[in-house]
Amino acid sequence: MPKNGKAVKRELDDDVTESVRDLLSNEDACDDSFKKSSLIVGDHGGDGKECDVEEGGSHGEEEEEEEEERPAWNSKLQYILAQVGFSVGLGNVWRFPYLCQKNGGGAYLVPYLILLILIGIPLFFLELAVGQRIRRGSIGVWNYISPRLGGIGFASCMVCFFVALYYNVIIGWSLFYFSQSFQQPLPWHECPLVKNKTSTYVEPECEKSSATTYYWYREALNISDNISEGGGLNWKMTVCLLIAWSMVCLAMIKGIQSSGKVMYFSSLFPYVVLICFLVRALLLKGSVDGIRHMFTPKLEIMLEAKVWREAATQVFFALGLGFGGVIAFSSYNKRDNNCHFDAVLVSFINFFTSVLATLVVFAVLGFKANIMITFSHIIYISLIPHHINLTHVNQVSAEDYHQMIEIIKGVKEDQYQALGLDPCSIEKELNKAVQGTGLAFIAFTEAMTHFPASPFWSVMFFLMLVNLGLGSMFGTIEGILTPLIDTFKVRKEFLTVGCCVLAFSIGLLFVQRSGNYFVAMFDDYSATLPLLIVVVLENVAVAWVYGIDKFFEDLKDMLGFTPYRFYYYMWKYITPTLLLVLLCASFIQLSLTPPSYSAWIQEEAKEQTLHFPPWGIVVCISLVVMAVMPVPVVFVLRYFNIIDDGASGLATVSYKKGRIIKETALPGEDDDASLIHGRSPSEAPSPMPGNNIYRKQSGGPGTDIAPNGLYGIGPIPPCT
């Protein structure tokens, strides 16, 4: 084979032409020298000729089918908003404030920040780096890192699917409340009246609880007394779930080209709402009490192991680690993007968003704690001071309430106990830990009924919840679609519609009357342990299987600088150790705590903790097993060569400066091995060099000989 490039083969083999197109379609657009470069294409004999090959195909011969190039973000801002929208979700609004309230107030921020630096940022950086480097979804990435650990990608897809099933139900709930907020007064403002032939009375279930609690459990969910009572579909929530899945489907059907544009609104709008809520809440009486309560540290609680475990778990889930969404989004970046900067930026945006949401929640709850509902029918009106007005919405401030109690207690000392007037304590009210749906749909909605122009604030709040949920859903669904499209080469439109239709059909389980209990089941058991296992395996696969030194070299080639040595020790020693401790602690907690759920008992109008029936325990265990099962299955199949490691062609591709430089093959591996066994190289997930191709270099050596005896690709200069 001549090295001066003046003689090449005249006859082009079809497979070779397809492989050229595969190779060129994956190169960076910034490399002008690669966009138009001379290739030496050979078969097994005869003369040849020189041909210029343009990006995406041969200049001399046009193919009927062009391989579609990988989509890319329109701008860096769009990408950052997508990552922020995915990581900042409902948990930042209703989980982080609860943990802060429960675990020492402002003192909780200290262990959270420490663990964010030790666990969150290193793992987030790792996922961004492997996605951007290999430019594939989770399945392709972990097949490349280690074919025997290829099940990690499938496990991530399973967890994403389980989470998407119930997460979109929460968006449906928010859509229902959003649709009901265009009323004055709000429908959950007061208890409904029941009329019969002789009298009118307050609904007993509402009278025993509160107006917002009654509306949530009875009007919205129409909940059953336990998980075994299905009770049929709730048609209102079924319609809302259908709307939620339709929104996700329409936003995702064109991939990042469609979802990326939606991100500008869905990611930024929640910040506008949170800032507006904070300003409004600070103008309300009592908000300062709530914020003071938040920032009053209880340092003794920091010594408890439970606080650190919950902080680590929150860091882990807040950034969306292990879902595959982070990898999928970063795979659409250029290979020279500074993903280290992205990791630090998004992590701290997530943290400050949690702090902002906590300020808003505590300010509103402080206002709520200062509004006490009194019962005028048991109070002696003549004993109440004249400046206390009970005629308007039956509310008094905490100070007036204390004054009224002292007067009544002094005058009617013998009858005081029968009046049922409890002492009023703002601290006691603020210490009532509320999280999740209880915070969003009960406590916060009750506080908003006392806002001036309450319908406006209700509309803003639930529209914010919808946007927070959609941002996370986009990343979750992308964590399912991108790996499957990269692996099985199906049309994105068909797969998106099929996935949404299937998820909606299964999601009907969550909109029956007992659906809320299934949401709690999936939330507790389908994600926690499986995701921890996935992330532990991700860390081990990169640091110990692929090799931390090799990974650092890849990062240096990709980023143009060597990352801080801090990450070397984090990835290799500290982070996997902390993850294993967290995994063991979570496993022990689940083992010692019998599977249970909080049920709403209609007759008593209160929540009660019930144990899952035997079939429910089987479902809980099945969720964990099904989520992690792909990992051992793929490992066993490849360990015993039932599926050859060579079926993962991506695992044999080496990179230099973000480009493919050679193809290595396992002994006895076919030349046209691909990620999907049995596909031709043109169908295989790129990057994948073709057969008998090498690139002519000006003033340099002509070829590198690959270990399998084929001609490899010569050295390629860095992109400038």
Side-chain angles (χ1 to χ4, degrees):
M1 182 70 72
K3 294 185 179 180
N4 58 10
K6 296 300 182 181
V8 296
K9 304 303 180 184
R10 293 181 181 277
E11 182 179 359
L12 292 175
D13 182 87
D14 290 341
D15 290 337
V16 175
T17 304
E18 290 178 355
S19 299
V20 173
R21 188 172 65 251
D22 283 345
L23 175 65
L24 295 182
S25 64
N26 287 280
E27 296 308 312
D28 292 337
C30 58
D31 192 352
D32 293 331
S33 63
F34 199 89
K35 286 184 177 179
K36 184 176 181 180
S37 57
S38 298
L39 295 186
I40 299 175
V41 183
D43 50 18
H44 297 286
D47 297 329
K49 70 176 182 179
E50 179 174 343
C51 60
D52 287 337
V53 180
E54 298 290 341
E55 181 180 18
S58 158
H59 179 70
E61 180 179 353
E62 295 293 335
E63 297 290 338
E64 293 181 1
E65 296 180 0
E66 292 290 336
E67 183 177 358
E68 183 180 356
E69 293 184 2
R70 189 167 189 79
W73 297 103
N74 292 335
S75 65
K76 181 66 175 284
L77 176 61
Q78 189 181 79
Y79 164 68
I80 293 296
L81 290 178
Q83 290 287 16
V84 169
F86 175 52
S87 65
V88 175
L90 297 173
N92 296 76
V93 174
W94 66 33
R95 176 70 180 170
F96 188 90
Y98 161 76
L99 292 174
C100 192
Q101 180 184 23
K102 174 185 175 184
N103 295 318
Y108 175 74
L109 300 179
V110 176
Y112 185 88
L113 258 179
I114 293 174
L115 292 170
L116 178 66
I117 295 172
L118 296 181
I119 294 180
I121 295 178
L123 289 175
F124 196 61
F125 180 26
L126 184 146
E127 290 200 354
L128 289 179
V130 296
Q132 180 175 310
R133 181 66 169 175
I134 303 171
R135 295 175 67 81
R136 286 292 171 270
S138 55
I139 296 176
V141 161
W142 302 114
N143 270 325
Y144 169 72
I145 297 294
S146 173
R148 291 182 180 179
L149 294 178
I152 297 176
F154 290 99
S156 292
C157 289
M158 288 291 294
V159 174
C160 280
F161 187 70
F162 285 152
V163 171
L165 289 177
Y166 73 85
Y167 205 85
N168 225 22
V169 175
I170 301 175
I171 298 178
W173 294 342
S174 303
L175 285 171
F176 174 75
Y177 268 78
F178 171 74
S179 67
Q180 299 298 308
S181 298
F182 295 91
Q183 304 179 44
Q184 177 66 27
L186 293 169
W188 50 84
H189 176 72
E190 57 187 5
C191 289
L193 298 176
V194 179
K195 297 181 180 180
N196 57 25
K197 295 181 179 179
T198 58
S199 63
T200 300
Y201 57 94
V202 177
E203 171 65 45
E205 184 181 4
C206 184
E207 189 175 19
K208 294 177 183 177
S209 53
S210 68
T212 52
T213 304
Y214 171 82
Y215 192 88
W216 166 241
Y217 284 117
R218 191 56 48 211
E219 296 294 336
L221 300 181
N222 193 21
I223 199 167
S224 59
D225 284 351
N226 58 71
I227 195 171
S228 299
E229 298 178 13
L233 291 178
N234 181 338
W235 69 267
K236 293 180 290 188
M237 291 305 169
T238 303
V239 172
C240 291
L241 181 63
L242 178 61
I243 295 173
W245 275 115
S246 299
M247 293 168 64
V248 171
C249 184
L250 292 174
M252 298 295 299
I253 198 165
K254 291 295 184 181
I256 62 172
Q257 278 77 18
S258 54
S259 64
K261 295 178 175 62
V262 180
M263 291 294 181
Y264 287 108
F265 180 76
S266 64
S267 297
L268 294 176
F269 180 74
Y271 291 95
V272 175
V273 176
L274 285 174
I275 292 172
C276 291
F277 260 99
L278 180 61
V279 173
R280 184 67 189 92
L282 291 175
L283 299 176
L284 297 172
K285 186 176 182 180
S287 60
V288 177
D289 295 329
I291 294 176
R292 186 186 302 115
H293 179 81
M294 169 191 168
F295 283 105
T296 302
K298 303 181 177 113
L299 298 178
E300 66 279 1
I301 296 182
M302 287 181 58
L303 301 177
E304 299 179 11
K306 181 184 69 172
V307 174
W308 290 83
R309 179 180 60 80
E310 292 186 345
T313 305
Q314 179 62 18
V315 166
F316 182 82
F317 288 105
L319 294 175
L321 300 173
F323 282 94
V326 173
I327 295 176
F329 280 151
S330 66
S331 72
Y332 298 113
N333 271 332
K334 294 180 180 180
R335 286 198 182 95
D336 59 351
N337 175 62
N338 188 349
C339 55
H340 174 255
F341 172 79
D342 300 341
V344 176
L345 177 65
V346 174
S347 297
F348 278 101
I349 288 177
N350 186 290
F351 171 70
F352 288 118
T353 304
S354 298
V355 174
L356 174 62
T358 304
L359 283 172
V360 172
V361 169
F362 273 84
V364 172
L365 292 182
F367 163 71
K368 176 177 173 290
N370 276 268
I371 300 296
M372 301 300 171
I373 307 299
T374 60
F375 301 92
S376 59
H377 63 279
I378 61 171
I379 294 178
Y380 294 87
I381 302 297
S382 59
L383 299 178
I384 299 175
H386 296 292
H387 71 277
I388 301 178
N389 183 12
L390 293 178
T391 61
H392 182 63
V393 297
N394 221 24
Q395 300 169 3
V396 295
S397 67
E399 293 80 4
D400 291 342
Y401 186 87
H402 280 297
Q403 183 181 357
M404 183 177 62
I405 290 295
E406 291 300 320
I407 293 174
I408 295 176
K409 186 176 181 180
V411 176
K412 299 290 182 179
E413 185 174 356
D414 55 336
Q415 303 177 20
Y416 177 76
Q417 294 294 333
L419 295 177
L421 298 177
D422 297 327
C424 173
S425 171
I426 293 178
E427 291 296 318
K428 183 179 178 181
E429 289 294 318
L430 288 172
N431 280 328
K432 292 179 180 178
V434 183
Q435 67 165 324
T437 55
L439 175 64
F441 298 107
I442 297 178
F444 218 86
T445 51
E446 181 178 346
M448 285 188 297
T449 58
H450 306 308
F451 280 23
S454 55
F456 168 78
W457 294 105
S458 183
V459 167
M460 295 283 284
F461 176 72
F462 290 110
L463 186 58
M464 178 191 71
L465 292 187
V466 170
N467 279 274
L468 285 172
L470 286 176
S472 297
M473 274 298 295
F474 293 156
T476 303
I477 298 298
E478 199 67 56
I480 301 172
L481 300 180
T482 297
L484 296 180
I485 291 169
D486 289 342
T487 305
F488 299 107
K489 296 299 180 183
V490 295
R491 287 280 301 272
K492 176 176 276 289
E493 294 84 354
F494 295 156
L495 183 61
T496 302
V497 173
C499 179
C500 292
V501 170
L502 176 63
F504 169 73
S505 302
I506 300 175
L508 294 176
L509 172 71
F510 303 102
V511 290
Q512 55 181 339
R513 291 185 59 195
S514 60
N516 187 47
Y517 306 139
F518 285 98
V519 170
M521 174 192 290
F522 272 66
D523 189 35
D524 290 338
Y525 295 96
S526 70
T528 306
L529 273 182
L531 279 179
L532 282 172
I533 294 172
V534 164
V535 175
V536 169
L537 292 175
E538 287 181 357
N539 198 162
V540 171
V542 171
W544 294 94
V545 178
Y546 184 78
I548 191 67
D549 294 310
K550 184 179 178 182
F551 188 57
F552 255 66
E553 291 178 4
D554 291 343
L555 290 176
K556 182 179 179 181
D557 288 339
M558 183 171 67
L559 302 177
F561 63 89
T562 303
Y564 297 113
R565 200 68 178 172
F566 164 82
Y567 292 105
Y568 182 95
Y569 297 106
M570 289 294 105
W571 286 331
K572 193 168 185 178
Y573 303 111
I574 307 299
T575 303
T577 302
L578 292 175
L579 286 174
L580 286 173
V581 171
L582 179 59
L583 178 61
C584 293
S586 299
F587 182 80
I588 292 172
Q589 183 200 19
L590 288 177
S591 301
L592 297 179
T593 306
S596 60
Y597 63 100
S598 182
W600 177 258
I601 309 301
Q602 183 175 4
E603 290 296 325
E604 301 177 10
K606 67 178 184 179
E607 291 183 341
Q608 182 176 334
T609 300
L610 301 178
H611 294 297
F612 283 112
W615 63 265
I617 298 176
V618 172
V619 173
C620 293
I621 297 174
S622 299
L623 290 173
V624 177
V625 172
M626 283 191 294
V628 300
M629 185 59 68
V631 176
V633 168
V634 172
F635 182 85
V636 170
L637 290 177
R638 284 185 169 155
Y639 183 81
F640 292 103
N641 293 325
I642 300 174
I643 296 179
D644 190 2
D645 286 355
S648 176
L650 266 173
T652 64
V653 180
S654 299
Y655 291 87
K656 184 74 172 176
K657 296 292 184 185
R659 297 172 179 80
I660 314 156
I661 60 172
K662 64 182 178 180
E663 177 187 5
T664 61
L666 297 173
E669 181 182 10
D670 293 336
D671 295 338
D672 60 349
S674 63
L675 180 61
I676 304 305
H677 188 64
R679 290 185 180 268
S680 65
S682 63
E683 294 172 316
S686 54
M688 188 69 196
N691 300 344
N692 301 338
I693 301 176
Y694 71 97
R695 179 175 173 184
K696 185 184 77 173
Q697 297 296 324
S698 58
T703 62
D704 285 342
I705 302 299
N708 61 356
L710 299 177
Y711 287 101
I713 305 299
I716 298 176
C719 174
T720 56

